[in-house]
């Protein structure tokens, strides 16, 4: 049977006499054409047929079939209006129907009412017949969580024309589900309290207090006059935190330089279904990165077709060292420090920053004194005394 | 520090596995095919020749001068000597 890429893009069958099969095999070897030789014949992709024909002409008696596969079928039936019309209608129907939701399936719904989940999704716009183009799955998940009382986590995956919904039940905060039991809120780092919001428990600090890491902020111990006992303290404590971050860049740097590449993967995705044409994962050269390039088909530069091509290139690299200029060191160090501060301060509000830098014997150093507002609330179990 | 560049081996190689009722053997760096029949296949490489005998043998050519022999392989003979 011909390969899937031959069927889609067209192929021809070359047949030779029994005594000429060696010549056919050697022609394929020298041209680098992949094909199986069976019963004195082989199937060649349409684009390779020209090369093989020129190589065999004059040397070997051979016969070549007409163009086979999908292009051949279309060519042979080009004058049959009914076939062309039927094919066009079929393609339009598939194209149109693939853009709509055919089914919504809820999985892992232990404790969750699947029917209720489906009804709520329908109200939010995910239902049979809805257009995929108008559905933003990330926003739909966020809106679902905002509306639902019983669901703690939801994930919606599209596979072809079916939406697979996975949900997880929300757990009661009063239950001891993570083993921490009743707990206090303590300071996760040093700082000056700016704002404290208590959801459960009672605060033992106030704005303006200086706290160190580990200090109690919100207590989970119920006072005796209120009946005594314990609870799971909860709340937000925003503190002004002072910190210093540093970054350093060496003068001699190593960089990766790509010197060559070879194709190792080729696949097509049509209507959400993947067709793997080529995948070479076992015979790759050492010292290479796999870079995937994806191309989407667009009609008239405007209409996206449900066809995607993915090519994987094994890019062979060398590690080379070079000496950075002063400007490159400073820019690189600045970028590294910015990235570090951005990571450390994610979720925090930056109030003030002061940076300084200078050249050293081995490179360039930068540091930044940062003042920011952090949520310093950390959970700690209540220790029995 | 510069790393030494590792060059992958480019010489003759072969690997095989059982497939159905026979075997599937792949040979690399094949120069040419001297003989191709259902009962005997003779491959030529830079270091010598490989003779595969059996029944229902089929040959598949791959890019990069690799070939695969599939069928009821009875004997594989390596004949060393410069071609």
């Amino acid at each position: 049977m011909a390969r899937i890429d031959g069927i889609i893009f067209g192929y021809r069958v070359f047949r030779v006499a029994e005594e000429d099969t060696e010549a056919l095999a050697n022609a394929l070897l020298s041209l680098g054409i992949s094909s199986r030789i069976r019963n004195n014949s082989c199937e060649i992709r349409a684009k390779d047929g020209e090369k093989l024909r020129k190589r065999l002409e004059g040397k070997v008696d051979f016969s070549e079939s007409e163009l086979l596969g999908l292009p051949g079928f279309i060519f042979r039936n080009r004058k049959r209006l009914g076939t062309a019309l039927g094919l066009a209608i079929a393609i339009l129907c598939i194209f149109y129907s693939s853009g709509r939701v055919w089914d919504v399936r809820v999985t892992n719904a232990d404790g969750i009412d699947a029917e209720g989940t489906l009804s709520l999704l329908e109200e939010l716009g995910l239902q049979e017949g809805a257009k995929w183009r108008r559905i933003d799955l990330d926003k739909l998940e966020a809106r679902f969580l905002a509306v639902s009382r019983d669901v703690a986590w939801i994930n919606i995956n599209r596979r072809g024309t079916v939406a697979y919904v996975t949900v997880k039940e929300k757990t009661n905060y009063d239950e001891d589900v993570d083993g921490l039991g009743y707990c206090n809120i303590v300071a996760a780092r040093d700082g000056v309290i700016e704002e404290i919001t208590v959801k459960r428990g009672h605060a033992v600090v106030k704005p303006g207090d200086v706290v160190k890491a580990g200090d109690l902020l919100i207590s989970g111990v119920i006072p005796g006059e209120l009946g005594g006992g314990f609870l799971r303290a909860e709340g937000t404590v925003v503190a002004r935190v002072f910190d210093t971050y540093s970054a350093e860049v060496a003068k001699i740097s190593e960089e990766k330089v790509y010197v060559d590449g070879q194709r190792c993967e080729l696949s097509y995705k049509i209507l959400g279904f993947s067709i793997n044409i080529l995948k070479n994962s076992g015979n790759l050269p050492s010292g290479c990165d796999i870079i995937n390039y994806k191309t989407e088909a667009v009609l008239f530069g405007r209409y996206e077709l449900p066809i995607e091509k993915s090519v994987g290139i094994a890019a062979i690299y060398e590690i080379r060292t070079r000496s950075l200029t002063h400007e490159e060191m400073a820019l690189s160090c600045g970028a590294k420090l910015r990235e570090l501060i951005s990571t450390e301060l994610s979720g925090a509000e930056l109030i003030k920053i002061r940076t300084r830098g200078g050249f050293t014997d081995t490179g360039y150093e930068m540091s930044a004194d940062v003042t920011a507002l952090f949520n310093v609330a950390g959970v700690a179990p209540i220790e029995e005394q | 520090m510069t790393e030494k560049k590792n060059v992958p081996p480019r010489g003759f190689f072969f690997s095989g596995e059982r497939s159905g009722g026979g075997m599937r053997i792949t040979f690399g760096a094949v120069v040419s095919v001297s003989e191709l029949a259902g009962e005997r296949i003779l491959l030529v490489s830079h270091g010598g020749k490989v003779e595969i005998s059996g029944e229902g043998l089929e040959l598949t050519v791959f890019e990069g001068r690799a070939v695969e022999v599939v069928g009821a392989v009875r004997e594989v003979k390596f004949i060393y000597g410069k071609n």
Side-chain angles (χ1 to χ4, degrees):
Chain A
M1 188 179 167
R3 276 169 36 168
I4 184 71
D5 57 337
I7 292 174
I8 293 172
F9 298 111
Y11 68 98
R12 295 180 189 273
V13 177
F14 282 73
R15 186 178 295 278
V16 298
E18 194 173 333
E19 58 270 18
D20 292 329
T21 50
E22 293 89 3
L24 177 63
N26 287 321
L28 294 174
L29 259 179
S30 59
L31 290 171
I33 297 174
S34 294
S35 182
R36 167 175 277 191
I37 300 172
R38 178 183 283 170
N39 297 329
N40 310 326
S41 66
C42 62
E43 291 162 355
I44 305 294
R45 287 176 298 188
K47 64 174 186 174
D48 294 328
E50 177 73 23
K51 286 190 288 187
L52 185 61
R53 188 184 311 120
K54 283 184 184 169
R55 180 61 64 97
L56 294 178
E57 263 170 3
K59 296 180 184 133
V60 165
D61 285 333
F62 68 95
S63 65
E64 183 181 341
S65 74
E66 60 184 349
L67 183 63
L68 302 171
L70 183 60
F73 173 80
I74 293 171
F75 181 76
R76 284 191 296 278
N77 293 285
R78 64 191 183 281
K79 291 184 182 172
R80 293 183 181 165
L81 182 60
T83 306
L85 196 59
L87 200 61
I89 291 173
I91 290 171
L92 273 172
C93 287
I94 291 172
F95 179 57
Y96 177 77
S97 58
S98 69
R100 294 189 178 254
V101 179
W102 285 24
D103 194 14
V104 181
R105 298 178 192 170
V106 179
T107 58
N108 296 340
D110 297 335
I112 300 287
D113 175 25
E115 290 295 325
T117 303
L118 285 171
S119 306
L120 185 52
L121 285 170
E122 197 172 320
E123 285 175 31
L124 296 173
L126 181 64
Q127 57 186 343
E128 291 172 14
K131 291 183 183 177
W132 281 110
R133 199 161 35 92
R134 291 193 180 157
I135 298 174
D136 186 326
L137 293 179
D138 290 333
K139 283 184 184 170
L140 183 64
E141 288 168 359
R143 278 191 289 148
F144 187 97
L145 288 176
V147 172
S148 171
R149 293 180 191 175
D150 303 320
V151 173
W153 173 83
I154 180 170
N155 179 247
I156 306 174
N157 278 323
R158 174 188 174 184
R159 262 180 256 159
T161 55
V162 178
Y164 290 89
V165 181
T166 311
V167 290
K168 187 166 168 55
E169 188 182 8
K170 187 181 281 186
T171 53
N172 192 337
Y173 280 115
D174 289 331
E175 292 175 6
D176 182 11
V177 292
D178 54 11
L180 270 180
Y182 304 115
C183 62
N184 292 324
I185 297 293
V186 300
R189 53 196 304 175
D190 300 350
V192 177
I193 303 294
E194 286 278 326
E195 182 187 327
I196 185 164
T197 306
V198 179
K199 287 185 185 171
R200 201 158 35 213
H202 68 276
V204 298
V205 295
K206 60 183 184 305
D209 288 351
V210 177
V211 296
K212 290 198 175 304
D215 286 351
L216 181 66
L217 301 176
I218 301 174
S219 174
V221 177
I222 303 172
E225 56 269 24
L226 296 177
F230 303 101
L231 53 76
R232 185 182 175 85
E234 196 178 343
T236 307
V237 181
V238 178
R240 186 180 293 248
V241 174
F242 309 92
D243 215 337
T244 300
Y245 302 99
S246 318
E248 188 180 348
V249 167
K251 189 174 180 182
I252 306 294
S253 82
E254 289 184 346
E255 61 178 15
K256 191 185 280 187
V257 177
Y258 293 106
V259 295
D260 198 2
Q262 58 181 174
R263 191 175 65 179
C264 61
E265 287 179 19
L266 174 63
S267 67
Y268 289 89
K269 199 169 181 180
I270 301 174
L271 301 175
F273 297 99
S274 292
I275 303 171
N276 288 321
I277 306 295
L278 168 71
K279 192 171 179 71
N280 174 16
S281 56
N283 193 25
L284 294 172
S286 60
C288 73
D289 290 332
I290 307 294
I291 302 174
N292 285 305
Y293 296 93
K294 280 191 185 173
T295 313
E296 290 178 345
V298 178
L299 196 61
F300 305 124
R302 196 177 163 185
Y303 303 103
E304 285 184 11
L305 297 176
I307 301 171
E308 191 180 281
K309 176 182 173 183
S310 178
V311 178
I313 303 289
I316 302 166
Y317 61 81
E318 285 180 353
I319 305 293
R320 294 179 185 168
T321 57
R322 72 182 186 96
S323 186
L324 297 174
T325 64
H326 282 184
E327 189 182 351
E328 283 174 337
M329 278 194 284
L331 286 173
S332 178
C333 195
K336 197 172 170 182
L337 183 63
R338 264 197 309 278
E339 193 182 339
L340 173 65
I341 292 173
S342 175
T343 306
E344 293 291 329
L345 296 188
S346 64
E349 184 182 336
L350 180 65
I351 303 295
K352 191 167 71 173
I353 183 169
R354 193 176 69 171
T355 57
R356 54 186 180 279
F359 292 98
T360 64
D361 293 336
T362 55
Y364 188 82
E365 270 183 0
M366 273 187 83
S367 60
D369 297 324
V370 169
T371 305
L373 295 179
F374 271 96
N375 178 12
V376 296
V379 175
I382 296 175
E383 293 174 6
E384 293 184 19
Q385 294 177 353
Chain B
M1 186 189 299
T2 307
E3 287 187 10
K4 282 190 179 175
K5 184 177 176 182
N6 286 325
V7 179
R10 293 180 183 274
F12 174 79
F13 72 89
F14 73 94
S15 70
E17 59 180 4
R18 295 174 69 169
S19 171
M23 283 197 72
R24 181 190 302 272
I25 313 177
T26 306
F27 299 91
V30 173
V31 173
S32 65
V33 178
S34 273
E35 191 176 326
L36 176 56
E39 294 79 32
R40 186 169 178 265
I41 294 177
L42 187 63
L43 305 175
V44 176
S45 70
H46 286 296
K49 297 179 187 176
V50 182
E51 182 186 333
I52 306 112
S53 54
E55 289 177 16
L57 301 179
E58 287 181 355
L59 185 86
T60 303
V61 176
F62 291 102
E63 294 175 22
R65 292 201 166 266
V67 302
E68 181 184 83
V69 175
V70 177
V73 175
R74 200 180 298 123
E75 188 180 22
V76 178
K77 201 188 290 184
F78 293 91
I79 304 161
Y80 289 96
K82 198 80 174 136
N83 293 306

